[in-house]
Amino acid sequence: MASKSQPKVPKTGSPASFTNGKAESQGQWGRAWEVDWFSLASVMFLLLFAPFIVYYFIMACDQYSCSLTAPVLHVITGHASLADIWAKTPPVTMKAAQIYTLWVTFQVLLYMLLPDFCHKFVPGYVGGVQEGAVTPAGVVNKYQVNGLQAWLITHLLWFANSHFLFWFSPTIIFDNWIPLLWCANILGYAVSTFVMIKGYLFPTNANDCKFTGNFFYNYMMGIEFNPRIGKWFDFKLFFNGRPGIVAWTLINLSYAAKQQELYGQVTNSMVLVNVLQAIYVLDFFWNETWYLKTIDICHDHFGWYLGWGDCVWLPYLYTLQGLYLVYHPVQLSTPHAVGVLALGLLGYYIFRMANHQKDLFRRTDGRCLIWGQKPKAIECSYTSADGQKHHSKLLVSGFWGMARHLNYTGDLLGSLAYCLACGGSHLLPYFYFIYMTILLTHRCLRDEHRCASKYGRDWARYTAAVPYRLLPGIF
């Protein structure tokens, strides 16, 4: 569901298509070879202001009870200065550095040293060694898919500690939230800088590198397609899934524990946020093999956009609802709570079933049933950079006959449900929905521009058959 673009979380692309061909040309997907002024301006804006945005939201909760306007008004009216706000901000601590180092090290060990065993006894789960998509250079990477296993082990240890071992307080994440922010920033910038240097000096595959000649664009969007250390440590897969997404549910649990500590109860709104977001996280790890064929792995290079984004943007801004509920323990009426739950589950259902239909269509080359009928598709073709002609099918049945990106619509419904669980008193918890709306609308337009260039007149036939992007009958 939630996408991870700038910075980004896992998302499949649209529209639904099946390609009977090999690697697509380098010009079809991925980051640009050349940088226009708008792209460069966007890169500079994000590099300069994205870290500040994260700090502002977390600071607003810590010092101003989650009000987004109070810090600005206090500075303008002279009640506080920027120096005063900064002075009240907790610095990095040795304890936070130790926690974060242990956390990342533990996730690296789970990723590298413990081959997946879940696929051997969990029906329907696909894990273990799996192949990714063909890269632009024609390489097929192998991955050790063990994210579900890492999530389960991590959370079993968390619950064992909370109820039996008592090594640390379950509020430890909330209690060190801002010091941990500085640690996450250090890792994000360190990883991004390392992979850029690596791309220049010792790339994993030189033919899968892209250079624009612009330092800032290269740094943000990445040079290497799949930077690796050794045979199995893949930076893109690790940082997209671990440590940020594994931590997502732990962060929410720590918020719930803090709410219990402060108020003597966990509100139904906090339970809803924990449950709905846990469904998404589990869905991601259950479908981690499928994720290897999505935009994040197949088309994005690894730079600051993913490295810093997965370390900082995702865990800090995707969990704002739970953080808000620590400061404002909203207890929803039963009809409100049921409505939020229903909306969240509806969004998840649309998201998952739309992606399932596309995956089924691809795997069977259209020889399947969707909603009890043989699927309809538009035959199309394109020519790759090497001059070879390839053939594809664009699905126009099921959810994909209602709108060209209905999986994004389901994602947005789920995102809205997270926010509605927090009531309507503050804007802060709704940042996630606003951000996701902008992000997915932009991704919609970006994907369609690429598809129009790729398929030409066949794309026009497809848009005539499925005229709406996200909302049937509206947009």
Side-chain angles (χ1 to χ4, degrees), residues 74-93:
H74 273 216
V75 171
I76 291 175
T77 58
H79 288 86
S81 66
L82 294 178
D84 294 332
I85 293 174
W86 182 253
K88 294 178 182 178
T89 302
V92 65
T93 63

Side-chain angles (χ1 to χ4, degrees), residues 151-166:
W151 188 91
L152 290 171
I153 292 173
T154 300
H155 285 73
L156 284 172
L157 288 174
W158 176 274
F159 283 111
N161 171 78
S162 299
H163 293 89
F164 306 108
L165 301 175
F166 308 111

